[in-house]
Amino acid sequence: MRQDLFKARNPDLRASLAAMQRAAATARQVAIQTNTAIVVVQGGKPVRITADQLRKEF
């Protein structure tokens, strides 16, 4: 999928992966600041990650 994005003709589409990564990082930071959990999909299943788990990652 990444290769497809890098080869896209539309410059906005090429930049979308980086934008999603920035948004995910911001969501993690906000979750830590507000002591809330986030939900991500891993292996096709939703996984809840607590603020404490996020703090250990950073």
Side-chain angles (χ1 to χ4, degrees), residues 28 31 36-42 45-50 54:
R28 285 176 167 82
T36 57
I38 61 171
V39 177
V40 298
V41 177
Q42 292 179 343
K45 296 184 180 186
V47 176
R48 186 175 184 269
I49 303 175
T50 66
L54 291 170

Side-chain angles (χ1 to χ4, degrees), residues 7-55:
K7 293 178 183 177
R9 290 183 183 186
N10 185 319
D12 291 335
L13 189 56
R14 286 194 307 263
S16 65
L17 180 59
M20 288 186 284
Q21 291 170 333
R22 288 191 304 272
T26 300
R28 285 176 167 82
Q29 290 171 350
V30 170
I32 289 169
Q33 292 170 352
T34 59
N35 201 35
T36 57
I38 61 171
V39 177
V40 298
V41 177
Q42 292 179 343
K45 296 184 180 186
V47 176
R48 186 175 184 269
I49 303 175
T50 66
D52 287 335
Q53 290 171 309
L54 291 170
R55 284 185 190 96

